[in-house]
Amino acid sequence: MRKRAFAILMILALFGSYAAMPQAGSAAPRRPEDVPDTIAPFLSQYFNETQHAAMNSFAAFWQRTPNALFVLGYPISQPFIEESFTNPGEYYRVQYFERAVLEEHPENAGSQYYILGRLMGNQIIRGRENEGPFLPVGDPGDGTFDGATSHTLRDGPAPFRNFWLNNGGLEVFGRPKSEQFQEVNQADGKTYWVQYFERQRMEWHPDEPNPQYQILLGLLGNEYRDAKHRGEGAFQAISPDQVPNPPVQPETQGFVYGFNAILYGQGQPWQDRQRVLALSKNAGVYWIRQQVRWMDLQGAPGSPCYQVCWGELDSIVNDASNTGVKLLISVVAAPSWATPDGRNGMPSRDHFGDFNFFMGKMAERYRGKVQAYEIWNEENLAHENGGRVANASFYMDMLVGASQAIRAADSNAIIVSGAPSSTETNRSDIAVSDITFLRQMFADPRFRASVDVIGAHPGGQSNPPDTMWPDNPGPGPGWTTSREFYFRRLEDVHQAMLDAGLTDKKVWVTEFGWATRNNTPGYGFGNNTSLQEQSDYIVRAFQMGRNDYGSWIGGMFLWQINFAVLWKYQGNELHEQASFGVLNGDWSPRPSYYAIQAMPK
């Protein structure tokens, strides 16, 4: 079946919307030696079937292509540099697969178009233009004629027209470049009805009992190899121990276990920062995420604190560092003087420079003591941005400048993109879908270079972590009929990453957790979850992140450790924030704390 079976619907991932893709331009290498080194991800996946390994970004492209075996086939070469036949005189690193040839396009580095597929249909018919089936025909007047190529697209004898219309049409296959005719398939020596298109060749197998495989696509990578490269070194079979060692990809960290915490307030009756740090370490959790409000640290231009008054943050950073706890600082809440409406959302564009200054100063001051910075929090929510939903392009402009400032001050700091909140609400005064927002961020070619880690906040509500809408919904009552309410929302985040080609990045779940009994409107789902269920769900979520999702999740920060202590002091230990905690208001551990402590890490 490997030679014949093709899943057609998903081939759009390779060839679809070609006209909208970036094309090679004047910056393309003009000599083989000018082709730049491949960029991350640095991967290899060996296939015994063809005795070749998909490598690096080609492997990542294969892995993220649905039904890749049927769409691309197995690799049949190792990467090598070759002159482009669509842009003669330009050279690209390529890798051949049974059904496609993929090119690295360095001019598109950092975008989803770093790997592009060739117009193999056009190439495979070169030199055959004067053969009968490829000669132009007249318009029969029955609606089947394509005037751009002077060929018809019919449903007889083979039902190619219907297949073309139902499986992507022009975007997937291009225009017809021949009429239907009978041709010998070199793979099996049999004769089939075929038709050539700009991007593919269709072949009719009417005797195939499975209708899915009655129309198949061509092994164009194999055919071009046989026509142009037979016997060349890159196509010689290799053994697994001959797979080239890819460059070592920089690691951010091992898997990170973290708590969200309140470390501010030392000297208040309710706070004991050293106790929080000790409890975190005693649980085997050596990272803490602390939210920091920009508005509290930097005054308006001309004020004494315009150069930044760091206040208690200095002692927080020093205490954590001296205790051996690493910090992820999440920065939010611009000063009113830096916002367009005097509220404390994101800064206005003309104050991006002030934000960059602030982030650079912070990274410089805490170099070696703060290990990671998350740029904003749940920026897809209106209430995190002064009552209005920011668009992703605005956020990206802010993120890019802040990232550059941090890296200039501390090249070892890990930069985490702000995690959108899990939601399917789409209203300008409330929120925009987290997946929509992430896809828009990922589409910005600057994203890859600006962050080391992708932040995410999955839902949970009262649903066990293994459940998911619609195939395996939670038990309820309520909060079950949308994917936003589930921990496995992370799988939707991952799919968006795959679609954008961000396989070299990992996710940090910078907030997740389960509320228990509380009295806060809107958080009634917590009343469905017992303390023991909370404990079980948290441990299972950590296990899923570390094991099931371990190839793309690098860290998880539980929401949270000690908020109940503050809320008990304020007279409302049943506040929803308290209910998420692993400590009670009197500092006594909940079952979830003991379970995290006992959990293998």
Side-chain angles (χ1 to χ4, degrees):
M1 182 63 72
R2 177 169 64 84
K3 292 183 179 180
R4 302 181 55 209
F6 297 80
I8 307 303
L9 289 174
M10 301 313 300
I11 201 165
L12 182 58
L14 224 186
F15 300 108
S17 303
Y18 187 87
M21 293 180 179
Q23 304 296 308
S26 59
R30 308 297 295 186
R31 302 180 302 170
E33 58 268 30
D34 294 333
V35 175
D37 292 339
T38 195
I39 65 172
F42 304 122
L43 308 169
S44 65
Q45 184 172 354
Y46 186 81
F47 295 92
N48 288 316
E49 291 82 355
T50 55
Q51 296 182 287
H52 281 287
M55 295 293 296
N56 304 326
S57 291
F58 300 116
F61 189 94
W62 198 96
Q63 291 169 3
R64 72 174 184 264
T65 300
N67 300 313
L69 176 60
F70 304 130
V71 175
L72 303 175
Y74 293 111
I76 58 173
S77 80
Q78 294 307 107
F80 65 99
I81 294 172
E82 180 180 47
E83 185 176 9
S84 169
F85 59 67
T86 53
N87 295 286
E90 297 177 358
Y91 289 83
Y92 297 93
R93 183 173 290 101
V94 301
Q95 184 162 22
Y96 278 60
F97 292 76
E98 292 172 309
R99 302 179 180 105
V101 178
L102 305 182
E103 295 179 338
E104 284 183 357
H105 279 255
E107 73 277 13
N108 300 332
S111 79
Q112 66 192 91
Y113 302 120
Y114 180 61
I115 301 295
L116 296 178
R118 286 182 172 174
L119 289 172
M120 293 302 296
N122 281 351
Q123 181 61 20
I124 207 73
I125 65 174
R126 283 192 177 182
R128 303 184 65 181
E129 292 85 355
N130 293 323
E131 296 180 19
F134 298 93
L135 293 173
V137 300
D139 184 353
D142 59 2
T144 66
F145 186 69
D146 188 322
T149 60
S150 295
H151 283 289
T152 62
L153 179 54
R154 300 176 176 272
D155 274 329
F160 291 145
R161 179 179 179 84
N162 184 62
F163 186 87
W164 188 93
L165 290 171
N166 290 329
N167 292 282
L170 182 64
E171 288 187 320
V172 174
F173 306 109
R175 299 177 184 279
K177 297 301 292 283
S178 77
E179 297 301 295
Q180 294 192 24
F181 67 102
Q182 291 187 304
E183 184 175 59
V184 175
N185 184 317
Q186 298 301 316
D188 60 13
K190 297 181 180 180
T191 300
Y192 301 97
W193 282 98
V194 301
Q195 185 166 13
Y196 284 78
F197 296 82
E198 291 172 313
R199 300 184 176 97
Q200 251 298 347
R201 181 188 65 216
M202 293 184 190
E203 188 173 272
W204 187 34
H205 292 249
D207 297 328
E208 168 61 51
N210 187 336
Q212 181 180 2
Y213 302 126
Q214 288 182 351
I215 293 179
L216 308 180
L217 302 184
L219 295 165
L220 300 192
N222 283 354
E223 293 182 23
Y224 195 72
R225 172 203 59 190
D226 294 343
K228 301 294 183 180
H229 294 294
R230 184 177 291 277
E232 292 183 10
F235 294 87
Q236 299 299 311
I238 62 173
S239 62
D241 58 2
Q242 292 176 304
V243 175
N245 292 322
V248 177
Q249 186 170 4
E251 291 286 341
T252 53
Q253 295 287 335
F255 193 86
V256 168
Y257 294 91
F259 282 128
N260 283 265
I262 301 175
L263 298 179
Y264 275 100
Q266 189 67 14
Q268 297 296 316
W270 57 271
Q271 180 61 291
D272 186 343
R273 185 186 304 135
Q274 290 299 334
R275 190 172 185 177
V276 179
L277 296 170
L279 284 164
S280 184
K281 288 184 66 177
N282 289 341
V285 174
Y286 289 88
W287 278 77
I288 280 181
R289 177 178 181 254
Q290 172 65 63
Q291 199 159 90
V292 171
R293 302 195 308 176
W294 175 23
M295 62 183 284
D296 295 333
L297 302 178
Q298 186 176 15
S303 70
C305 280
Y306 181 63
Q307 293 301 312
V308 188
C309 296
W310 299 101
E312 192 180 0
L313 186 57
D314 277 348
S315 58
I316 290 173
V317 170
N318 289 331
D319 285 349
S321 180
N322 293 336
T323 308
V325 172
K326 297 179 179 179
L327 285 178
L328 165 62
I329 296 294
S330 169
V331 181
V332 297
S336 58
W337 55 265
T339 64
D341 54 8
R343 301 169 74 179
N344 301 112
M346 293 183 193
S348 59
R349 188 175 295 278
D350 58 345
H351 284 288
F352 280 0
D354 292 298
F355 184 58
N356 299 343
F357 169 82
F358 173 76
M359 293 306 305
K361 285 293 185 182
M362 180 181 288
E364 178 183 37
R365 187 176 187 86
Y366 300 133
R367 184 170 49 235
K369 294 183 178 180
V370 171
Q371 286 70 35
Y373 296 93
E374 185 175 12
I375 310 304
W376 230 255
N377 176 73
E378 299 189 341
E379 59 275 7
N380 64 321
L381 301 183
H383 74 77
E384 292 284 353
N385 188 39
R388 66 194 188 285
V389 176
N391 61 57
S393 62
F394 181 89
Y395 171 74
M396 279 302 306
D397 290 344
M398 187 181 78
L399 171 66
V400 169
S403 171
Q404 293 170 346
I406 293 167
R407 285 183 168 152
D410 183 0
S411 60
N412 292 319
I414 299 167
I415 299 173
V416 185
S417 60
S421 177
S422 180
T423 182
E424 281 304 316
T425 298
N426 287 286
R427 276 183 48 175
S428 62
D429 61 333
I430 299 177
V432 65
S433 162
D434 54 320
I435 303 304
T436 298
F437 201 94
L438 284 166
R439 287 186 180 277
Q440 291 170 349
M441 289 165 55
F442 296 164
D444 191 313
R446 302 170 298 172
F447 181 84
R448 185 192 301 269
S450 298
V451 305
D452 303 301
V453 172
I454 297 168
H457 287 178
Q461 273 65 13
S462 57
N463 298 306
D466 285 288
T467 59
M468 186 57 163
W469 173 262
D471 298 328
N472 180 31
W479 295 282
T480 60
T481 57
S482 174
R483 297 172 75 86
E484 68 190 284
F485 301 139
Y486 292 85
F487 177 77
R488 287 176 56 194
R489 179 66 157 187
L490 289 169
E491 295 171 12
D492 297 339
V493 174
H494 186 223
Q495 187 59 56
M497 294 168 57
L498 294 178
D499 293 342
L502 292 170
T503 52
D504 55 321
K505 300 296 181 186
K506 286 201 171 186
V507 169
W508 279 6
V509 183
T510 58
E511 289 182 16
F512 78 101
W514 279 266
T516 55
R517 186 171 66 95
N518 68 84
N519 57 16
T520 304
Y523 291 84
F525 49 79
N527 298 319
N528 301 331
T529 305
S530 70
L531 294 180
Q532 186 57 52
E533 286 172 328
Q534 180 195 50
S535 175
D536 294 342
Y537 295 171
I538 289 170
V539 170
R540 176 60 185 143
F542 270 124
Q543 291 171 340
M544 291 171 68
R546 180 65 184 89
N547 300 318
D548 302 351
Y549 303 152
S551 64
W552 51 275
I553 286 186
M556 296 173 64
F557 291 77
L558 180 68
W559 179 265
Q560 35 60 24
I561 183 170
N562 69 323
F563 282 51
V565 179
L566 171 60
W567 280 107
K568 180 178 175 64
Y569 177 75
Q570 294 183 345
N572 185 15
E573 193 175 353
L574 288 179
H575 189 276
E576 58 89 4
Q577 288 187 347
S579 78
F580 277 95
V582 298
L583 301 177
N584 293 310
D586 61 1
W587 294 93
S588 61
R590 285 180 157 197
S592 52
Y593 177 86
Y594 289 121
I596 293 167
Q597 186 179 49
M599 181 179 67
K601 303 178 185 62

